[in-house]
Amino acid sequence: MNLANALTISRIVVVPVIVILLIIDGVIPSVIAAILFIAATITDYLDGYFARKYHMESDLGKLLDPLADKLLIASVMIMLIPMGRVQAWIAAIIIGRELAVTGLRSIASEKHIIIAANWLGKYKTAFQCAALIPLLIHYPILDIQFQLAGEFFLWIALFFTVWSGFDYIYNYIKQM
């Protein structure tokens, strides 16, 4: 166990807390869920930073980091569907892309093909987070329409999600 892995594990641990907060309807639980989500996204940056800077890369970290990311995003999206904050078809495309790319990377790895992450995936993740934070808050506060802001960024996230998914498939086929 090192600092990078501890940060990754903290991201996994916070998922059920966010889920429970989303079960409790109201402004305060929604804002707390958003704050925890923001903290979790910061740990995603920090775990990679510490792992690279202090040579803490590990097999456990390589396994847990993408798992933690997908668990966080998918759990929040799924919880927001019955609340009417995210349309089910959008969540299905985003989560489906994550599963498909994970499967494709696994197949590529068995064939000793490395499909590196690129700027599209980084934009996808950034816009997913930019969408989910206001969607978690949802309620208008100080005349800020968080739901509308979240929906705006969700459309951009959907665009980058689909584009990056096709890009992974294209790069896999190209390297075959």
Side-chain angles (χ1 to χ4, degrees):
M1 180 61 64
N2 60 41
L3 178 59
N5 288 345
L7 289 169
T8 300
I9 291 169
S10 75
R11 202 159 60 253
I12 294 169
V13 169
V14 81
V15 169
V17 177
I18 293 172
V19 167
I20 291 167
L21 286 165
L22 291 174
I23 292 170
I24 307 166
D25 195 22
V27 176
I28 292 173
S30 293
V31 170
I32 294 170
I35 291 168
L36 290 174
F37 183 84
I38 291 167
T41 59
I42 291 169
T43 67
D44 184 26
Y45 168 76
L46 289 176
D47 67 15
Y49 171 79
F50 287 127
R52 285 184 297 278
K53 181 169 175 101
Y54 298 107
H55 308 290
M56 295 180 190
E57 293 100 345
S58 69
D59 290 338
L60 179 64
K62 289 175 187 174
L63 171 72
L64 289 183
D65 184 60
L67 176 68
D69 297 343
K70 287 163 186 41
L71 184 62
L72 179 66
I73 298 290
S75 297
V76 168
M77 286 203 142
I78 290 167
M79 290 303 296
L80 294 177
I81 293 168
M83 301 172 89
R85 299 182 191 182
V86 170
Q87 294 180 37
W89 71 270
I90 293 175
I93 289 172
I94 290 173
I95 295 168
R97 180 263 184 216
E98 296 302 327
L99 295 172
V101 167
T102 299
L104 185 64
R105 278 185 156 166
S106 178
I107 291 168
S109 176
E110 288 178 7
K111 298 179 180 189
H112 305 290
I113 297 172
I114 297 171
I115 304 173
N118 63 20
W119 65 274
L120 284 172
K122 301 211 183 299
Y123 276 49
K124 172 212 52 114
T125 300
F127 280 109
Q128 284 176 356
C129 293
L132 291 177
I133 293 165
L135 289 171
L136 281 163
I137 296 171
H138 173 68
Y139 297 95
I141 301 172
L142 302 173
D143 290 329
I144 299 170
Q145 299 296 319
F146 285 98
Q147 181 65 32
L148 289 176
E151 289 172 4
F152 172 77
F153 287 116
L154 190 60
W155 282 104
I156 298 170
L158 181 64
F159 171 76
F160 280 108
T161 298
V162 171
W163 184 5
S164 67
F166 281 119
D167 188 60
Y168 271 103
I169 292 168
Y170 171 77
N171 285 326
Y172 173 76
I173 291 169
K174 188 170 80 174
Q175 291 188 43
M176 288 294 294

